[in-house]
Amino acid sequence: MFSVKKGAAFAAVALSVIPLATACSGGDTSASGEDTTLVVASWGAYFTKATRQFLADPFTKETGIKVQIVDAPGKYAANLQAQKQANNVQWDLLDSTSAPDAYQMAHDGLIEKLPDDLKAEFTSELGDEAVEDFGFTFSNLGYVIACNTDKVTTCPDSQQAYFDTANPARRQMIATLPLLNLSLAEMASGVPAEQIPTHEIDLDRAFAKLKELKPQIKVWWESGDQMEQAFRNGEADMGIAYSGRAFSLAENGTPIKVQWKAGVYNPGFWNVVSGAPHTKAAFQFMQWIAKHPEAQAKWAEMTKYSVPNPKAFDYMDDTFKKQLADWPDNRKQLTTLNYDWYVKNSQEVNRRWQEFLRG
Amino acid sequence: MMSLVTERPDDVAGGANTRGSRKKARPWSSTLPLRTALPMLVPLGVALVLFVVYPLVRLLWDSVTTGNGPGNYADALASGAVRRAIGVTLLDSVLVMLLAVVGGTALAWAARTSRHKWLKGLIWASVLLPFWMGVVVKNYAFALLLAREGPINSALLDLGLIRQPLELMYTPIAVVLGMTYTMLPYAFLAVFPSVGTVNLDLLNASRGMGASQRGTFARVVLPLIRPGIIAGAAIVFAMAIGFYVTPVLLGGAQTPFIASVISDDIFRFFDYPRAAATSVILLVIALATLAVAIKAVGLRAIRGGLG
């Protein structure tokens, strides 16, 4: 091929050799875009589909920046660690990193800090609580107490009541997430919910509390599917559940009551990968997502996860929006976890958790 | 058959002659000359070195050089989770081995001796179908069957045999049942060649000389099919201790196999050194089992069992 110099010649051949021409103009030209392909890591299945259909495709249509989505459910940190070690970072963005992972990756320098102006913009668009130094929340949900009303007459409305061991015939379930369970145990030991976001967990006390409850835990679920299945076939009568999944169970005929009270807000985060090939375009995509509440609403309706832009509720069905973790009435009943403490202590916490669960 | 084989060299010679070759045709032989055989083996050799030898050597090397060095093994064995996982893995695998070998032998014997064609067909079909099914499908089927409100509990309740549903899912029972179902075909296929070589006239002779049915089985049949049984047992056990999906899906998080703990170390804790050490422990157990079996019945029987 011939080489193209910027200037008059550029215009003449621009139409036929757009990809080559922009490549020659060098560097990260994402603002104008045409040849940039962002690589986004996502969670697969309907999740990837929703991101593709309601976020990536409209964004490409508007900006010309292409988006490639790779599925790496639950393996963001491991993959990024490997890419970084091989000095070959291939991903630009992470779609809905789970909160513990996001804080850990920020601490490890695997994800990019938001530029100040962008952070300010996100905060004014989405609200203070939705924005962290390393990204904004997305695919949010609540960890809530859910009960099968055929089997349980009074659904516990506090963690004290959920951790009650007076009735050993109870069939309960809980997720296999150390920070969540230890925090719930602390609430059961009397730590007020509003202190949990900054509370330093007393590990001995929390594990002792969990140990008391262990005989009543019939299922330690590792995926939302497993949690739903355990409700459907009677393996458990009450459990700590994903709010969205609990509602969809109820819609599909299992009589489920959701207790927002004493629940935990569980955000995901959009992050830009540190050292990403197209940092500028990646932030541009995040900006697009933040500013398109209607796209967020459609995304939410497909995935049943909550989204950060308050204006998104205007585009949602009335029943549906009241099932979301970000709906103000629900959000105010949920506490958040102390991720900063977890990042500092994760080594010890995870090991003790493994010994507790598997040992 | 014979004539076909003896005719072949002439064909080859004739073909060569018409193409003007003056070389004297060698008689046809199934053994390839070295200069043809070696290049043909190269891809296999490369694959073997790349995908088997290198990872194994690397794993062994990493397990003693990264992290705490040889202390990785002490770390692994100091963990209650690892010790319990090894215990659960070995116990469940022994149970699966016994069930699969007994079941596989019984089925193989029935398939060999039955006079009914349909029964033989049914046995082969019921052994091979699960063999070809995906592991997730099989496990999901078991999860449905064993559920608290699943068909097994419902039937037992309806028949009045139990008052409370049995605790089946997320128990070692579920894991052993699910794994046995997966491993039964391997046991069957390992035992069948031995069973196939048993001369059935020996049974009549034994009965004719006054042996009971049980005595005939114990003293005539069993010694004859012993190599197949040991081969089957070794294969089933060595495969069983590496199981991951079935213990996770049917046993749940609280009854882990070693593979689950290794997966924790790699994907949750990023503790590769301990994962490597634990993997080597698993590997040594598997190799030791195979070595004992080879010592007992010879490599030929094990190979025969693998088909």
Side-chain angles (χ1 to χ4, degrees):
Chain A
M1 288 290 237
F2 42 83
S3 88
V4 181
K5 289 244 164 78
K6 277 173 259 176
F10 177 83
V13 290
L15 276 176
S16 54
V17 288
I18 282 171
L20 182 65
T22 34
C24 287
S25 64
D28 187 354
T29 58
S30 38
S32 58
E34 276 82 6
D35 72 329
T36 310
T37 300
L38 284 173
V39 180
V40 177
S42 190
W43 289 82
Y46 65 91
F47 205 102
T48 294
K49 204 178 147 200
T51 298
R52 155 79 41 224
Q53 190 176 343
F54 300 118
L55 308 178
D57 284 349
F59 172 71
T60 304
K61 216 169 162 187
E62 241 180 78
T63 61
I65 300 171
K66 294 185 207 71
V67 178
Q68 184 198 345
I69 304 182
V70 294
D71 295 342
K75 306 272 189 284
Y76 291 177
N79 271 302
L80 277 187
Q81 204 77 260
Q83 291 181 18
K84 203 179 166 190
Q85 257 167 33
N87 237 332
N88 181 22
V89 176
Q90 294 164 335
W91 293 351
D92 293 300
L93 283 147
L94 306 178
D95 179 2
S96 310
T97 315
S98 76
D101 281 358
Y103 284 86
Q104 184 68 50
M105 284 193 255
H107 177 262
D108 296 344
L110 290 174
I111 50 180
E112 200 77 33
K113 222 178 145 208
L114 296 178
D116 289 338
D117 53 335
L118 207 56
K119 191 181 170 188
E121 196 183 325
F122 288 159
T123 308
S124 74
E125 195 79 43
L126 310 173
D128 206 20
E129 290 202 320
V131 185
E132 286 288 342
D133 280 348
F134 48 79
F136 60 75
T137 67
F138 210 78
S139 85
N140 311 318
L141 52 86
Y143 287 114
V144 293
I145 298 170
C147 297
N148 183 329
T149 50
D150 277 354
K151 314 264 178 70
V152 180
T153 39
T154 43
C155 195
D157 62 354
S158 70
Q159 291 306 331
Q160 272 107 328
Y162 189 79
F163 277 70
D164 183 9
T165 48
N167 181 3
R170 264 188 183 179
R171 305 184 61 83
Q172 289 170 262
M173 65 176 154
I174 211 163
T176 44
L177 298 163
L179 177 62
L180 172 67
N181 295 340
L182 292 167
S183 302
L184 296 178
E186 286 290 80
M187 286 160 80
S189 296
V191 177
E194 57 274 17
Q195 280 177 26
I196 291 293
T198 53
H199 172 69
E200 303 210 342
I201 291 168
D202 177 341
L203 284 174
D204 290 333
R205 178 174 65 183
F207 274 115
K209 196 83 195 165
L210 281 165
K211 203 172 170 187
E212 279 174 32
L213 190 68
K214 204 173 178 183
Q216 284 162 229
I217 301 290
K218 305 300 173 192
V219 182
W220 303 82
W221 55 265
E222 296 187 86
S223 71
D225 284 324
Q226 194 186 2
M227 184 272 289
E228 281 192 43
Q229 208 190 334
F231 263 130
R232 270 199 304 268
N233 56 30
E235 228 63 63
D237 301 336
M238 64 170 81
I240 305 297
Y242 288 143
S243 52
R245 296 263 189 172
F247 283 111
S248 72
L249 265 173
E251 270 168 37
N252 291 311
T254 313
I256 296 285
K257 178 184 166 63
V258 171
Q259 196 74 266
W260 288 101
K261 228 174 141 188
V264 168
Y265 184 67
N266 176 46
F269 287 94
W270 271 102
N271 308 117
V272 171
V273 174
S274 151
H278 312 99
T279 309
K280 214 166 132 194
F283 279 126
Q284 199 185 343
F285 187 28
M286 277 179 68
Q287 200 177 20
W288 189 95
I289 296 167
K291 286 183 155 171
H292 284 76
E294 193 176 354
Q296 288 188 19
K298 285 184 191 150
W299 189 95
E301 274 178 343
M302 185 166 191
T303 61
K304 313 279 183 210
Y305 290 107
S306 187
V307 287
N309 195 320
K311 282 180 236 132
F313 292 121
D314 301 343
Y315 302 94
M316 288 178 202
D317 173 87
D318 263 354
T319 341
F320 176 67
K321 68 184 171 198
K322 286 175 189 155
Q323 298 177 351
L324 293 183
D326 287 293
W327 182 247
D329 285 346
N330 302 334
R331 181 67 187 87
K332 70 178 183 212
Q333 300 187 65
L334 301 173
T335 187
T336 51
L337 302 176
N338 190 350
Y339 298 106
D340 292 325
W341 173 86
Y342 186 50
V343 167
K344 277 184 231 134
N345 298 281
S346 61
Q347 205 79 5
E348 189 196 349
V349 173
N350 288 342
R351 276 282 171 238
R352 281 190 70 168
W353 170 256
Q354 190 192 33
E355 295 297 318
F356 164 76
L357 178 64
R358 316 268 213 197
Chain B
M1 276 305 273
M2 279 312 286
S3 65
L4 238 175
V5 171
T6 48
E7 270 169 30
R8 273 220 170 136
D10 300 337
D11 283 354
V12 173
N17 281 338
T18 55
R19 262 182 260 119
S21 161
R22 246 158 287 142
K23 233 188 199 168
K24 200 182 162 199
R26 276 181 295 109
W28 183 88
S29 155
S30 65
T31 320
L32 286 170
L34 204 60
R35 65 194 158 88
T36 321
L38 271 183
M40 285 175 80
L41 278 174
V42 166
L44 181 67
V46 169
L48 209 65
V49 168
L50 237 95
F51 301 120
V52 182
V53 178
Y54 171 73
L56 281 182
V57 170
R58 182 72 200 268
L59 182 71
L60 278 169
W61 181 249
D62 283 358
S63 75
V64 290
T65 56
T66 58
N68 297 333
N72 293 331
Y73 288 90
D75 282 357
L77 292 171
S79 152
V82 171
R83 284 201 309 270
R84 178 152 178 271
I86 290 177
V88 169
T89 306
L90 293 181
L91 179 68
D92 286 8
S93 299
V94 167
L95 289 173
V96 168
M97 178 187 82
L98 292 175
L99 289 171
V101 166
V102 169
T105 307
L107 282 173
W109 187 250
R112 164 89 168 103
T113 54
S114 171
R115 280 183 218 98
H116 305 290
K117 264 207 162 132
W118 62 267
L119 185 63
K120 288 186 182 185
L122 190 68
I123 291 173
W124 277 98
S126 58
V127 167
L128 290 179
L129 277 178
F131 193 56
W132 291 329
M133 264 193 311
V135 62
V136 174
V137 177
K138 274 186 283 200
N139 284 312
Y140 195 68
F142 263 85
L144 292 177
L145 283 174
L146 300 174
R148 193 169 167 82
E149 289 166 5
I152 292 179
N153 267 325
S154 309
L156 291 174
L157 282 170
D158 289 348
L159 290 170
L161 294 173
I162 49 171
R163 291 224 193 98
Q164 283 291 316
L166 297 175
E167 202 73 58
L168 295 172
M169 263 307 272
Y170 304 120
T171 64
I173 301 170
V175 177
V176 169
L177 284 177
M179 284 177 63
T180 302
Y181 184 60
T182 304
M183 294 314 297
L184 196 65
Y186 292 90
F188 176 92
L189 293 172
V191 177
F192 194 79
S194 303
V195 171
T197 58
V198 174
N199 182 347
L200 295 181
D201 289 337
L202 290 174
L203 305 187
N204 289 332
S206 169
R207 297 299 298 279
M209 286 187 279
S212 65
Q213 202 162 1
R214 201 178 295 169
T216 302
F217 185 76
R219 271 176 287 166
V220 178
V221 178
L222 218 49
L224 286 171
I225 62 172
R226 198 181 77 108
I229 288 180
I230 294 181
I235 292 160
V236 169
F237 183 79
M239 287 177 75
I241 60 172
F243 262 54
Y244 174 70
V245 177
T246 306
V248 167
L249 291 182
L250 300 179
Q254 64 276 42
T255 48
F257 263 41
I258 305 180
S260 297
V261 178
I262 295 174
S263 151
D264 274 357
D265 280 352
I266 297 176
F267 294 111
R268 290 202 182 169
F269 311 142
F270 309 118
D271 187 349
Y272 301 111
R274 205 183 88 170
T278 315
S279 305
V280 171
I281 294 173
L282 181 67
L283 187 68
V284 166
I285 297 172
L287 289 177
T289 314
L290 284 175
V292 168
I294 289 171
K295 192 122 178 61
V297 294
L299 189 59
R300 189 180 290 267
I302 308 265
R303 262 207 336 243
L306 285 169

